[in-house]
Amino acid sequence: HLEETTLVFIFTSTCSCGIIKMVFFVRNRQSYSLMAREVAGLIALQNGASSKDPALAAILHDSRKHAFRITMGMLLFMFSQCFIWYPIPIVAHAGERRLPFSQHGWDNNSNFYELSYTLQCVSGLYMSQISFGLDCLFASIMILVTAQLKILRRRILKLHKEVIPADGNDSFRRWDQMPADKCYDNMYERLCLCIDSHQHILRFVKHLQVTMSPIAMTQFASSVVIACMALFQSTYGEDISAALKCASYLPIPGGQVYLYCWAANSVTENGESVSTAAYSCSWVECSARFKHALRILIVRAQKPLVLTAGHLYPINRGAFLSLLNASYSYYALLGQMNKR
């Protein structure tokens, strides 16, 4: 039966994706704990500069707020599906003892109906929240990394504008009021701090890549299949209630893929902007060692910070479009087969 098969497939794929993600998480719990500590370390590393500059502090504050809103919004949207999927079998098929996802063909849902209904509801909600929780975790981390790259870029751009303490008192003077040698020494020291922050960010991105790669690949494969089946059921299904459930669920796999692609693309773009910022700072009249250190920073920052799924598939906006195209291609193929 088309409607039942589609619903079972969507439910099975969602739960399987959640189970696979949970297995990766349990196996690498120490890696996740280390990743959380490293994120806190990245923020603390540039916290001194952020606390002195309201613009930098605003970047960090906005990133935290953005990550919180995205996480809560996605989890609440997923939770809202309960009010569509769970009551429909009782409302649309009253008296038929229908289950939300998979029907028991061997006994026509006659045995342990209430228990089966509860188990399907709880397991579906639990696995979907696990799956969404990990997606939101990685998206939030990438948002915070993007914020650190933005802060670093601004620190590099304003190297020549830094306020430098004068000798012998607590007053402050700008760089153009200081002796040239002392000014350049101060700029070099601040550049070294920026380079150190950049190296910490690069090391963290490598760790993030190793931890996130299998999770992202699992989600990409699952989302393509689920989106294809949900769209097919919404279009060709004769059961209005099943079509409504699939249509309401359709934005979820697309949203999960978009979370990864949008956040990873932001990391890549802001990583490249560090090189531009380094070239745009006031380096022309600086010392030779400043220029040498700046060249090293520019060359290293020109290497793209590309996160991948399964160490094979780059995660960016182009990947999001290609996955949508793949899902629609499978949907079109199923549509042609259904018409025969």
Side-chain angles (χ1 to χ4, degrees):
H1 195 271
L2 177 62
E3 285 79 8
E4 292 185 5
T5 303
T6 303
L7 293 178
V8 169
F9 198 86
I10 293 174
F11 175 69
T12 304
S13 298
T14 301
C15 289
S16 299
C17 182
I19 291 172
I20 294 173
K21 288 181 177 180
M22 184 170 61
V23 170
F24 279 118
F25 178 80
V26 172
R27 288 181 57 188
N28 300 310
R29 281 178 295 179
Q30 293 182 350
S31 180
Y32 282 87
S33 299
L34 178 61
M35 187 169 58
R37 291 194 296 269
E38 287 180 348
V39 170
L42 285 180
I43 296 174
L45 190 63
Q46 298 196 98
N47 192 48
S50 300
S51 61
K52 298 176 183 178
D53 190 332
L56 301 184
I59 293 175
L60 181 59
H61 175 73
D62 291 343
S63 67
R64 286 172 168 168
K65 184 167 62 175
H66 198 186
F68 174 78
R69 288 178 176 177
I70 286 179
T71 301
M72 291 302 298
M74 296 298 287
L75 291 177
L76 288 176
F77 180 71
M78 184 65 204
F79 182 74
S80 68
Q81 296 296 305
C82 299
F83 301 100
I84 299 176
W85 282 72
Y86 296 167
I88 279 184
I90 300 175
V91 175
H93 304 281
E96 298 182 17
R97 300 176 68 87
R98 303 279 293 177
L99 294 173
F101 302 110
S102 177
Q103 311 305 317
H104 297 168
W106 57 87
D107 62 357
N108 198 26
N109 303 330
S110 58
N111 297 322
F112 305 105
Y113 173 72
E114 292 79 7
L115 178 61
S116 299
Y117 203 104
T118 303
L119 286 176
Q120 287 195 15
C121 292
V122 172
S123 61
L125 177 62
Y126 185 69
M127 288 302 170
S128 62
Q129 292 297 91
I130 288 177
S131 180
F132 248 85
L134 280 175
D135 297 336
C136 292
L137 169 66
F138 286 118
S140 299
I141 289 174
M142 286 186 282
I143 290 172
L144 294 175
V145 171
T146 299
Q148 294 306 305
L149 288 169
K150 289 180 179 179
I151 291 173
L152 177 61
R153 178 176 62 86
R154 292 208 175 194
R155 287 175 60 195
I156 295 172
L157 280 173
K158 63 193 290 289
L159 279 173
H160 65 292
K161 298 178 181 178
E162 292 289 350
V163 178
I164 304 171
D167 293 333
N169 56 61
D170 295 331
S171 62
F172 291 86
R173 291 184 289 179
R174 296 180 64 85
W175 72 277
D176 51 359
Q177 297 174 317
M178 297 296 297
D181 293 341
K182 186 170 183 178
C183 174
Y184 295 148
D185 288 343
N186 186 276
M187 289 179 64
Y188 176 75
E189 292 174 1
R190 293 181 182 276
L191 175 62
C192 289
L193 293 176
C194 291
I195 292 175
D196 183 60
S197 298
H198 188 238
Q199 290 175 340
H200 277 80
I201 293 174
L202 295 181
R203 284 194 291 268
F204 175 77
V205 171
K206 288 182 179 179
H207 183 197
L208 176 63
Q209 159 68 19
V210 173
T211 307
M212 187 182 74
S213 180
I215 301 291
M217 192 65 185
T218 301
Q219 185 57 57
F220 284 7
S222 175
S223 291
V224 168
V225 174
I226 292 175
C228 169
M229 298 301 295
L231 182 60
F232 178 76
Q233 172 64 34
S234 302
T235 307
Y236 294 98
E238 298 178 358
D239 187 345
I240 301 300
S241 62
L244 175 62
K245 289 192 290 186
C246 290
S248 66
Y249 190 75
L250 191 57
I252 290 180
Q256 289 177 287
V257 172
Y258 183 76
L259 269 182
Y260 284 101
C261 295
W262 164 75
N265 192 79
S266 297
V267 172
T268 302
E269 288 183 348
N270 284 276
E272 294 173 352
S273 70
V274 172
S275 176
T276 305
Y279 185 77
S280 302
C281 73
S282 298
W283 56 268
V284 178
E285 298 180 356
C286 292
S287 61
R289 63 175 183 170
F290 181 92
K291 294 178 182 178
H292 178 70
L294 192 67
R295 283 198 299 269
I296 295 175
L297 175 61
I298 291 174
V299 171
R300 184 60 189 88
Q302 285 177 340
K303 184 178 180 181
L305 291 176
V306 179
L307 295 165
T308 62
H311 301 284
L312 297 172
Y313 202 79
I315 307 176
N316 49 39
R317 291 175 184 170
F320 176 71
L321 295 177
S322 64
L323 289 171
L324 286 182
N325 289 333
S327 183
Y328 184 80
S329 298
Y330 296 144
Y331 157 76
L333 177 61
L334 288 176
Q336 292 294 328
M337 295 175 61
N338 184 64
K339 292 178 181 179
R340 292 181 179 178

